[in-house]
Amino acid sequence: MNVITPKFPQMLHGGDYDPEQWLGYPDVLENDITLMKQAHINCVSLGIFAWSRLEPEEGCFDFGWLDDIIDRLWKAGIYVDLATPSGARPHWLADKYPEVLRVWEDGSRAMFGGRHNHCFTSLVYREKVRIIDTELAERYSSHPAVIMWHISNEFSGDCRCPMCREAFREFLKKKYGSLDRLNHEWWAHFWSHTYTSWEQIEPPSYKGETAVHGLDLDWKRFVTHQTVDFMKAEIAAVKSAAPEIPVTANFMGMYFDGLDYFELGEALDVISWDSYPEWHAPCGNEVIAMNESLSHDMMRSIKGKPFLLMECTPSTTNWRGISKLKKPGMHRLAILNAIAHGSDSAMYFQIRQSRGSAEKFHSAVISHTGTSDTRTFREVTEVGEMLEKLTGRIYGSSTPAEAAIIYEPQSKWALDKAQGPRNAGLNYFDAIQRCYHYFWANGINVDIVNENSDISRYKLVVLPMLYLWRDGFSDRLREFVKNGGTLISTVFSGIVGENDLCFLGEATEEKLSDVMGYWVEETDSLYDGEANSTVYSGREFELTELCEVLRPTTCEVLAVYGSDFYKGKPAVTANRFGSGMAYHVAANAPMEFFDVFIGDVAPQLKRALDTGIPAGVNVTLRQGGDGTDYIFVQNFLDTEQTVALGGDYTDILSGRSCSGEVTLEGCGAAVLVKE
Ligand code: GAL
C-alpha cells in the first residue's frame, strides 16, 4: 500500500483555507470549523499566502493566530497540510530588498504586486524564505495535526536579473565545460552568433537572441534546475525539524509546460496538482474528461504511485472568459475521475470564499452566505461522505499499467521552438491525445512517462510526435523492442538529439532505423483544411498537417498515401526487430485511426472490463494491496448508459448488486468489485 501521509493514512478531503484573510471576523472562523465538520472535511492547506500575517515586519513573527487555528482544527479532528509562504512575499521584503523582484525579458524590474513572481536565485529571498520556513517547521512539525508540508504554491516563471544570468552561465559551464563545445551544441556559428566569452551569454529574449535553439532549450532547463534548487532549499528547511513529514508542491498538470515536472517530482515525496477543467464547455464533457484523465495519469506516473488532487473548484472558477457552474452531479463525477486515475484526495480551492480582491467570485465550499444551505455545499458534503466510504478500500491502492505513452516536456520545448516544417502548429498535445483516446475508451490503464523512465516494464510503448530524443533514449528503445516490446511512433519523432541538433545520416542506429526499418527522406506540410488520405483495415482516414515521405529498408508497408506526388508510398509501417515489433505512422492521423490501429497491433493488455464500453464512458482499474480489482465506471454523457460487465459485481458507492451490467444515469458513476 502506498501511504501518502503516514500520520493520517486516509483519503483527504478539504482544501485551501485562508483564515489570515478573516482574523477580524472571529465568528466567521468559528462557524467555518463547524461547517467543515458538516462537510466531512478532514484536512486543510493552511498559510499558503500568509507571510505578511506571519512576519508583519522583518524578523518580528506572529504565530498566535496560526497556533489558535491549528489547535481548533485539531480539536475538531481536521488535519493540516502546512504551507511555506514563499509564493507571495510581504511588502517590506520587496521594499527593502528590491533584488527579490523579478527582471523581465525586456530587462525591466517588476514592481511589488501579484504573486509567484520572485527571483529564485536571489540570496536574500532564499535567506528570508529559509528563516520563515525554519520558524514554521520548528514550531509546528511536532503538532499532531500537521501531516504534510505544502511547499510554496504553483512554482512557475523565470527571472533575468544579473544573479540569474550569472547562475545560467555557471550552469552552462558545468554542462559544456568549454565554449567550443557550447558553440558546437548550440550550432552558434550559424549567422555568426559564435560566443567568444561566457559573459556574452544572455537568456533568450525578443530584444536579443531568439534564433539559437540550443540556448532556448538550455534556458528552459536552467529555469527548471533553478526552481528545483530553490524548492530543495525550502524542503531542507522544513525537513530540518522533522524529516519524516512528507513534502509536496502543487503542480498545474500536464498542460503547463513551463517546468519539467518529472525533475521537480524527484525532489518531492508526494505529487499533487491543481485541476481546473472547463466542464460543460461546448466540446463536450467526454472530451474534457479524456484530456483531464491524461493529466491525472501523468501526475500519477511521475512517481508511479497515488497523487493528491490538491485543488479543484467546488463549482466555478473566476478566471476564465466564461465562468460556468458545475452542473449537479459534475463535481462528484470529476472527483471520481481523479480517484479512478490515481488520486487519493479531493481538495479544493477554496474552503471559504474570499470577500474582496481578485478571487472574491471564485467558488468555495463555504460561500459568502456562510451557510451550509447551498447546492455546492451539499455536493461537497456528498463527496466527503463518498470518500469516507472509499477510503478503506481505495486509499493507497495502485493503478497498474502495461502500456506507456512517452510525454517528454523537454521535447515539447524544442518542438515549440522548431521553425518549420509547420509553423502554423505542430499540436503536440493533440498528437498525444489522439493516441491516448484508445486506452481511455477501452478501459486500459496507461502510464504517461518521460524518456528517462524505465520502459522495460511495459509491453507497449507509444511515442506520439516525440521530436527530441535525450541521450541514451534510442538505446533503451532498441533494447525494449529487441526484448519483445511493441513500439508505436508517430510522425516527426526522433528528429533531434539531446541539444536539438538534427541526427545525421540516412539509416542510422542513432535514429533507430534498424529497429524501425525505414528512414525519412522528406516531410511535407499541409495547409489547415488540406488532407491526404490512407486506407487502413478497409477504412479511409484523412491525414493532415504533416506527411513524411519514407524510404523503407526492412519494414513492411501496412498502408500507403492516397494522393499527392507521394501517393502509394508508405504511410504506416511495421518492422520486426529481435522478438518485438516497431510500428510507425508517418502522418498526422485522426483519433479514429489510432482507435483501430492500436487495437490491431497492441499486444494483449489488461482491461478493466472485457466487454465493450460505450463512447463517453471511462473505465479504469485500481488494485488493492490484496489484489482486489476496483473498477471505476464513469459516464460523462448527460444520458443514461448501460455497460455490460461480463459478470456479477457490487457497486461500493451505492451498495447495489450489478448482475451482468450496470446502468448509469447521466453524470453517474460506480465503483465495482467482484461479488
Ligand atoms: C490556483 C492557485 C490558487 C487559486 C486558484 C484559483 O492556480 O494555486 O491559489 O488562485 O488557482 O482557481
Side-chain angles (χ1 to χ4, degrees), residues 336-358:
L336 273 169
N337 189 45
I339 297 173
H341 289 268
S343 172
D344 272 0
S345 71
M347 312 266 288
Y348 311 116
F349 180 86
Q350 46 195 338
I351 299 288
R352 168 170 274 277
Q353 191 167 29
S354 189
R355 186 165 185 197
S357 295

PDB file of all heavy atoms in Angstrom, residues 336-358:
ATOM      1  N   LEU A 336     -14.436  11.581  -8.798  1.00  0.00           N
ATOM      2  CA  LEU A 336     -14.247  10.139  -9.028  1.00  0.00           C
ATOM      3  C   LEU A 336     -13.278   9.894 -10.173  1.00  0.00           C
ATOM      4  O   LEU A 336     -12.488   8.949 -10.148  1.00  0.00           O
ATOM      5  CB  LEU A 336     -15.591   9.469  -9.323  1.00  0.00           C
ATOM      6  CG  LEU A 336     -16.335   9.022  -8.074  1.00  0.00           C
ATOM      7  CD1 LEU A 336     -17.752   8.624  -8.422  1.00  0.00           C
ATOM      8  CD2 LEU A 336     -15.613   7.865  -7.370  1.00  0.00           C
ATOM      9  N   ASN A 337     -13.311  10.770 -11.169  1.00  0.00           N
ATOM     10  CA  ASN A 337     -12.378  10.618 -12.287  1.00  0.00           C
ATOM     11  C   ASN A 337     -10.938  10.748 -11.803  1.00  0.00           C
ATOM     12  O   ASN A 337     -10.053   9.988 -12.189  1.00  0.00           O
ATOM     13  CB  ASN A 337     -12.676  11.655 -13.370  1.00  0.00           C
ATOM     14  CG  ASN A 337     -11.891  11.398 -14.639  1.00  0.00           C
ATOM     15  OD1 ASN A 337     -11.807  10.253 -15.098  1.00  0.00           O
ATOM     16  ND2 ASN A 337     -11.283  12.422 -15.190  1.00  0.00           N
ATOM     17  N   ALA A 338     -10.716  11.722 -10.918  1.00  0.00           N
ATOM     18  CA  ALA A 338      -9.357  11.892 -10.376  1.00  0.00           C
ATOM     19  C   ALA A 338      -8.949  10.643  -9.590  1.00  0.00           C
ATOM     20  O   ALA A 338      -7.830  10.128  -9.747  1.00  0.00           O
ATOM     21  CB  ALA A 338      -9.310  13.130  -9.489  1.00  0.00           C
ATOM     22  N   ILE A 339      -9.852  10.136  -8.776  1.00  0.00           N
ATOM     23  CA  ILE A 339      -9.528   8.963  -7.951  1.00  0.00           C
ATOM     24  C   ILE A 339      -9.310   7.745  -8.849  1.00  0.00           C
ATOM     25  O   ILE A 339      -8.364   6.968  -8.660  1.00  0.00           O
ATOM     26  CB  ILE A 339     -10.643   8.709  -6.915  1.00  0.00           C
ATOM     27  CG1 ILE A 339     -10.726   9.903  -5.963  1.00  0.00           C
ATOM     28  CG2 ILE A 339     -10.381   7.422  -6.134  1.00  0.00           C
ATOM     29  CD1 ILE A 339     -11.894   9.856  -5.012  1.00  0.00           C
ATOM     30  N   ALA A 340     -10.151   7.624  -9.852  1.00  0.00           N
ATOM     31  CA  ALA A 340     -10.026   6.484 -10.775  1.00  0.00           C
ATOM     32  C   ALA A 340      -8.643   6.447 -11.411  1.00  0.00           C
ATOM     33  O   ALA A 340      -8.093   5.388 -11.688  1.00  0.00           O
ATOM     34  CB  ALA A 340     -11.091   6.595 -11.859  1.00  0.00           C
ATOM     35  N   HIS A 341      -8.069   7.633 -11.638  1.00  0.00           N
ATOM     36  CA  HIS A 341      -6.763   7.684 -12.301  1.00  0.00           C
ATOM     37  C   HIS A 341      -5.618   7.828 -11.300  1.00  0.00           C
ATOM     38  O   HIS A 341      -4.492   8.090 -11.717  1.00  0.00           O
ATOM     39  CB  HIS A 341      -6.755   8.812 -13.350  1.00  0.00           C
ATOM     40  CG  HIS A 341      -7.624   8.465 -14.532  1.00  0.00           C
ATOM     41  ND1 HIS A 341      -7.138   7.835 -15.654  1.00  0.00           N
ATOM     42  CD2 HIS A 341      -8.960   8.602 -14.730  1.00  0.00           C
ATOM     43  CE1 HIS A 341      -8.142   7.620 -16.503  1.00  0.00           C
ATOM     44  NE2 HIS A 341      -9.260   8.082 -15.973  1.00  0.00           N
ATOM     45  N   GLY A 342      -5.908   7.682 -10.003  1.00  0.00           N
ATOM     46  CA  GLY A 342      -4.804   7.579  -9.045  1.00  0.00           C
ATOM     47  C   GLY A 342      -4.771   8.587  -7.922  1.00  0.00           C
ATOM     48  O   GLY A 342      -3.838   8.562  -7.118  1.00  0.00           O
ATOM     49  N   SER A 343      -5.783   9.460  -7.831  1.00  0.00           N
ATOM     50  CA  SER A 343      -5.750  10.423  -6.720  1.00  0.00           C
ATOM     51  C   SER A 343      -6.232   9.770  -5.430  1.00  0.00           C
ATOM     52  O   SER A 343      -7.134   8.928  -5.448  1.00  0.00           O
ATOM     53  CB  SER A 343      -6.652  11.620  -7.030  1.00  0.00           C
ATOM     54  OG  SER A 343      -6.760  12.439  -5.881  1.00  0.00           O
ATOM     55  N   ASP A 344      -5.639  10.209  -4.309  1.00  0.00           N
ATOM     56  CA  ASP A 344      -6.129   9.770  -3.003  1.00  0.00           C
ATOM     57  C   ASP A 344      -6.690  10.951  -2.217  1.00  0.00           C
ATOM     58  O   ASP A 344      -6.601  10.992  -0.993  1.00  0.00           O
ATOM     59  CB  ASP A 344      -4.998   9.064  -2.217  1.00  0.00           C
ATOM     60  CG  ASP A 344      -4.965   7.568  -2.561  1.00  0.00           C
ATOM     61  OD1 ASP A 344      -5.803   7.122  -3.374  1.00  0.00           O
ATOM     62  OD2 ASP A 344      -4.106   6.846  -2.027  1.00  0.00           O
ATOM     63  N   SER A 345      -7.246  11.916  -2.943  1.00  0.00           N
ATOM     64  CA  SER A 345      -7.827  13.057  -2.230  1.00  0.00           C
ATOM     65  C   SER A 345      -8.804  13.795  -3.122  1.00  0.00           C
ATOM     66  O   SER A 345      -8.818  13.620  -4.341  1.00  0.00           O
ATOM     67  CB  SER A 345      -6.729  14.051  -1.829  1.00  0.00           C
ATOM     68  OG  SER A 345      -6.250  14.700  -2.981  1.00  0.00           O
ATOM     69  N   ALA A 346      -9.574  14.663  -2.469  1.00  0.00           N
ATOM     70  CA  ALA A 346     -10.377  15.671  -3.171  1.00  0.00           C
ATOM     71  C   ALA A 346     -10.217  16.939  -2.356  1.00  0.00           C
ATOM     72  O   ALA A 346     -10.766  17.065  -1.264  1.00  0.00           O
ATOM     73  CB  ALA A 346     -11.838  15.259  -3.224  1.00  0.00           C
ATOM     74  N   MET A 347      -9.376  17.833  -2.846  1.00  0.00           N
ATOM     75  CA  MET A 347      -9.118  19.075  -2.117  1.00  0.00           C
ATOM     76  C   MET A 347      -9.529  20.240  -3.023  1.00  0.00           C
ATOM     77  O   MET A 347      -9.455  20.129  -4.248  1.00  0.00           O
ATOM     78  CB  MET A 347      -7.628  19.199  -1.777  1.00  0.00           C
ATOM     79  CG  MET A 347      -7.020  17.950  -1.164  1.00  0.00           C
ATOM     80  SD  MET A 347      -6.993  17.936   0.625  1.00  0.00           S
ATOM     81  CE  MET A 347      -5.729  19.119   0.998  1.00  0.00           C
ATOM     82  N   TYR A 348      -9.908  21.323  -2.397  1.00  0.00           N
ATOM     83  CA  TYR A 348     -10.484  22.427  -3.159  1.00  0.00           C
ATOM     84  C   TYR A 348      -9.703  23.715  -3.009  1.00  0.00           C
ATOM     85  O   TYR A 348      -9.080  23.965  -1.992  1.00  0.00           O
ATOM     86  CB  TYR A 348     -11.915  22.723  -2.673  1.00  0.00           C
ATOM     87  CG  TYR A 348     -12.771  21.493  -2.571  1.00  0.00           C
ATOM     88  CD1 TYR A 348     -13.265  21.062  -1.341  1.00  0.00           C
ATOM     89  CD2 TYR A 348     -13.043  20.734  -3.705  1.00  0.00           C
ATOM     90  CE1 TYR A 348     -14.034  19.910  -1.249  1.00  0.00           C
ATOM     91  CE2 TYR A 348     -13.808  19.589  -3.613  1.00  0.00           C
ATOM     92  CZ  TYR A 348     -14.294  19.176  -2.388  1.00  0.00           C
ATOM     93  OH  TYR A 348     -15.042  18.043  -2.313  1.00  0.00           O
ATOM     94  N   PHE A 349      -9.825  24.541  -4.012  1.00  0.00           N
ATOM     95  CA  PHE A 349      -9.614  25.952  -3.803  1.00  0.00           C
ATOM     96  C   PHE A 349     -11.009  26.543  -3.890  1.00  0.00           C
ATOM     97  O   PHE A 349     -11.610  26.515  -4.953  1.00  0.00           O
ATOM     98  CB  PHE A 349      -8.698  26.601  -4.850  1.00  0.00           C
ATOM     99  CG  PHE A 349      -8.543  28.058  -4.558  1.00  0.00           C
ATOM    100  CD1 PHE A 349      -7.579  28.498  -3.689  1.00  0.00           C
ATOM    101  CD2 PHE A 349      -9.429  28.979  -5.100  1.00  0.00           C
ATOM    102  CE1 PHE A 349      -7.490  29.845  -3.360  1.00  0.00           C
ATOM    103  CE2 PHE A 349      -9.338  30.330  -4.762  1.00  0.00           C
ATOM    104  CZ  PHE A 349      -8.364  30.751  -3.897  1.00  0.00           C
ATOM    105  N   GLN A 350     -11.596  26.964  -2.858  1.00  0.00           N
ATOM    106  CA  GLN A 350     -11.112  27.263  -1.548  1.00  0.00           C
ATOM    107  C   GLN A 350     -12.175  26.841  -0.556  1.00  0.00           C
ATOM    108  O   GLN A 350     -13.305  26.572  -0.933  1.00  0.00           O
ATOM    109  CB  GLN A 350     -10.842  28.775  -1.448  1.00  0.00           C
ATOM    110  CG  GLN A 350     -12.004  29.580  -2.038  1.00  0.00           C
ATOM    111  CD  GLN A 350     -11.703  31.051  -2.319  1.00  0.00           C
ATOM    112  OE1 GLN A 350     -10.812  31.638  -1.753  1.00  0.00           O
ATOM    113  NE2 GLN A 350     -12.503  31.665  -3.170  1.00  0.00           N
ATOM    114  N   ILE A 351     -11.821  26.796   0.726  1.00  0.00           N
ATOM    115  CA  ILE A 351     -12.834  26.379   1.703  1.00  0.00           C
ATOM    116  C   ILE A 351     -13.827  27.525   1.926  1.00  0.00           C
ATOM    117  O   ILE A 351     -15.025  27.332   1.868  1.00  0.00           O
ATOM    118  CB  ILE A 351     -12.174  25.994   3.056  1.00  0.00           C
ATOM    119  CG1 ILE A 351     -11.195  24.825   2.873  1.00  0.00           C
ATOM    120  CG2 ILE A 351     -13.255  25.660   4.095  1.00  0.00           C
ATOM    121  CD1 ILE A 351     -11.812  23.497   2.614  1.00  0.00           C
ATOM    122  N   ARG A 352     -13.286  28.720   2.213  1.00  0.00           N
ATOM    123  CA  ARG A 352     -14.195  29.873   2.381  1.00  0.00           C
ATOM    124  C   ARG A 352     -13.921  30.898   1.296  1.00  0.00           C
ATOM    125  O   ARG A 352     -12.776  31.241   1.023  1.00  0.00           O
ATOM    126  CB  ARG A 352     -14.020  30.509   3.760  1.00  0.00           C
ATOM    127  CG  ARG A 352     -14.717  31.863   3.839  1.00  0.00           C
ATOM    128  CD  ARG A 352     -14.789  32.416   5.221  1.00  0.00           C
ATOM    129  NE  ARG A 352     -15.963  31.910   5.937  1.00  0.00           N
ATOM    130  CZ  ARG A 352     -17.197  32.438   5.822  1.00  0.00           C
ATOM    131  NH1 ARG A 352     -17.431  33.438   4.992  1.00  0.00           N
ATOM    132  NH2 ARG A 352     -18.190  31.954   6.532  1.00  0.00           N
ATOM    133  N   GLN A 353     -14.991  31.361   0.702  1.00  0.00           N
ATOM    134  CA  GLN A 353     -14.892  32.318  -0.394  1.00  0.00           C
ATOM    135  C   GLN A 353     -14.355  33.661   0.111  1.00  0.00           C
ATOM    136  O   GLN A 353     -14.839  34.197   1.105  1.00  0.00           O
ATOM    137  CB  GLN A 353     -16.284  32.522  -0.987  1.00  0.00           C
ATOM    138  CG  GLN A 353     -16.294  33.272  -2.283  1.00  0.00           C
ATOM    139  CD  GLN A 353     -17.654  33.159  -2.967  1.00  0.00           C
ATOM    140  OE1 GLN A 353     -18.678  33.006  -2.300  1.00  0.00           O
ATOM    141  NE2 GLN A 353     -17.661  33.249  -4.277  1.00  0.00           N
ATOM    142  N   SER A 354     -13.361  34.142  -0.587  1.00  0.00           N
ATOM    143  CA  SER A 354     -12.718  35.392  -0.240  1.00  0.00           C
ATOM    144  C   SER A 354     -13.735  36.551  -0.356  1.00  0.00           C
ATOM    145  O   SER A 354     -14.633  36.503  -1.193  1.00  0.00           O
ATOM    146  CB  SER A 354     -11.592  35.555  -1.259  1.00  0.00           C
ATOM    147  OG  SER A 354     -10.765  36.583  -0.967  1.00  0.00           O
ATOM    148  N   ARG A 355     -13.568  37.573   0.483  1.00  0.00           N
ATOM    149  CA  ARG A 355     -14.574  38.649   0.461  1.00  0.00           C
ATOM    150  C   ARG A 355     -14.241  39.749  -0.549  1.00  0.00           C
ATOM    151  O   ARG A 355     -15.149  40.413  -1.072  1.00  0.00           O
ATOM    152  CB  ARG A 355     -14.705  39.257   1.861  1.00  0.00           C
ATOM    153  CG  ARG A 355     -15.815  40.259   1.902  1.00  0.00           C
ATOM    154  CD  ARG A 355     -16.242  40.646   3.278  1.00  0.00           C
ATOM    155  NE  ARG A 355     -17.398  41.530   3.182  1.00  0.00           N
ATOM    156  CZ  ARG A 355     -17.841  42.298   4.130  1.00  0.00           C
ATOM    157  NH1 ARG A 355     -17.244  42.290   5.302  1.00  0.00           N
ATOM    158  NH2 ARG A 355     -18.891  43.068   3.945  1.00  0.00           N
ATOM    159  N   GLY A 356     -12.949  39.965  -0.760  1.00  0.00           N
ATOM    160  CA  GLY A 356     -12.561  41.034  -1.685  1.00  0.00           C
ATOM    161  C   GLY A 356     -11.373  40.617  -2.520  1.00  0.00           C
ATOM    162  O   GLY A 356     -10.919  39.479  -2.452  1.00  0.00           O
ATOM    163  N   SER A 357     -10.915  41.551  -3.345  1.00  0.00           N
ATOM    164  CA  SER A 357      -9.752  41.334  -4.214  1.00  0.00           C
ATOM    165  C   SER A 357     -10.018  40.269  -5.288  1.00  0.00           C
ATOM    166  O   SER A 357     -11.164  39.884  -5.521  1.00  0.00           O
ATOM    167  CB  SER A 357      -8.510  41.007  -3.403  1.00  0.00           C
ATOM    168  OG  SER A 357      -8.158  42.128  -2.615  1.00  0.00           O
ATOM    169  N   ALA A 358      -8.953  39.788  -5.871  1.00  0.00           N
ATOM    170  CA  ALA A 358      -9.052  39.088  -7.156  1.00  0.00           C
ATOM    171  C   ALA A 358      -9.906  37.816  -7.153  1.00  0.00           C
ATOM    172  O   ALA A 358     -10.454  37.443  -8.181  1.00  0.00           O
ATOM    173  CB  ALA A 358      -7.646  38.754  -7.650  1.00  0.00           C
TER     174      ALA A 358
END
